[in-house]
Amino acid sequence: FDHLFIGGTAYHGTWGPWGHEVASGEEIAWEADSSVQMGGWRVCVSSDDMPATTTDVMVTNVTVLEGECTMTSSSCIASPGYPGDYSHDGSCTMAMPAGFISARSFDTERFYDHLHVAGSRFDGVDGPQLVEVATGDRVEWASDGSVSRKGWEICHAETAPSVLTLLSGSCEVSGDCVNSINYPLAYTQDPCTIYSPPGWISRVAFETEVQYDFLYIAGEVYHGDFGEDGTELPGGGL
């Protein structure tokens, strides 16, 4: 409800800007609603280089710095209460070693409950996938005072995968191939995200509901009985 806008990024809760680069003349805007008031904010502009890390310590492991987010393993963190609904007006801050962040599960109130990773904001059902972080980078979570959902679980990996890898959802990977869940039987409504190393993608079989059920590859959209042969991938999510 109360936001500080810098260069198109909205900051609220306890998640404030850190090392946010601005151009000459770029506007900083503040807006608040008429309900709850908090302690506010103070930001400073520096012409020096951006700090190398966003914490005062050298981070060697995934670490919860503050808040009620919980470690689910040595490399994974979940929102408060996960897999139950997270709390209202919640927040937490995590520090990451160098590597890549991907969501195993992600479901928050779209537009209002946010996870911030490496300068990008994630909400709704679109969680981070192989977002690169530097040593000491912070990951920030903030929820508002209304709707809550199942939340999220994110995991850290030191390197990006070198083989076809299921990042989230219920598709099935076998060797160099991936298919919809239950293939060759009818698929379910569960979405999925797959990481592909560089190479070429070609269909073995393809049949989805026209205009409603889609496979996205390297910016192209496939549906119906149209599955492209020989789509080149530079490496990344399907």
Side-chain angles (χ1 to χ4, degrees):
F1 295 100
D2 304 337
H3 301 94
L4 179 70
F5 296 91
I6 303 177
T9 300
Y11 298 96
H12 62 95
T14 59
W15 186 71
W18 178 272
H20 188 133
E21 186 176 6
V22 291
S24 177
E26 189 164 352
E27 290 187 352
I28 298 174
W30 161 250
E31 65 177 31
D33 68 3
S34 58
S35 58
V36 178
Q37 287 81 44
M38 307 296 286
W41 52 269
R42 184 171 186 253
V43 299
C44 299
V45 179
S46 172
S47 59
D48 297 332
D49 291 337
M50 175 181 171
T53 68
T54 55
T55 64
D56 295 327
V57 296
M58 182 62 69
V59 178
T60 57
N61 298 295
V62 177
T63 305
V64 178
L65 298 177
E66 60 181 1
E68 299 179 351
C69 294
T70 56
M71 300 290 300
T72 56
S73 71
S74 61
S75 59
C76 298
I77 301 178
S79 53
Y82 180 87
D85 290 354
Y86 50 78
S87 58
H88 299 314
D89 295 316
S91 64
C92 66
T93 302
M94 299 143 275
M96 297 291 165
F100 297 85
I101 301 297
S102 296
R104 284 186 174 178
S105 177
F106 201 89
D107 183 12
T108 76
E109 184 186 13
R110 184 172 292 278
F111 305 125
Y112 294 99
D113 300 338
H114 310 124
L115 185 72
H116 299 263
V117 183
S120 297
R121 186 181 76 180
F122 300 91
D123 56 60
V125 296
D126 301 316
Q129 296 296 345
L130 289 175
V131 176
E132 188 170 8
V133 292
T135 298
D137 274 359
R138 289 191 300 177
V139 173
E140 304 271 357
W141 161 249
S143 61
D144 70 1
S146 58
V147 178
S148 62
R149 300 193 185 281
K150 179 181 177 180
W152 47 266
E153 183 182 20
I154 59 172
C155 294
H156 173 275
E158 292 184 357
T159 59
S162 59
V163 296
L164 203 62
T165 303
L166 179 66
L167 297 177
S168 65
S170 55
C171 294
E172 299 167 335
V173 175
S174 177
D176 294 330
C177 298
V178 59
N179 55 262
S180 53
I181 189 70
N182 296 332
Y183 174 83
L185 303 178
Y187 48 78
T188 66
Q189 294 179 327
D190 297 329
C192 68
T193 303
I194 307 104
Y195 175 86
S196 174
W200 297 84
I201 297 290
S202 296
R203 63 183 175 184
V204 174
F206 196 88
E207 182 184 13
T208 74
E209 184 181 11
V210 177
Q211 298 293 345
Y212 290 98
D213 301 338
F214 303 105
L215 179 67
Y216 301 89
I217 303 177
E220 298 292 334
V221 182
Y222 301 99
H223 58 98
D225 59 1
F226 176 63
E228 186 69 15
D229 288 331
T231 298
E232 185 176 9
L233 282 180
L238 271 65

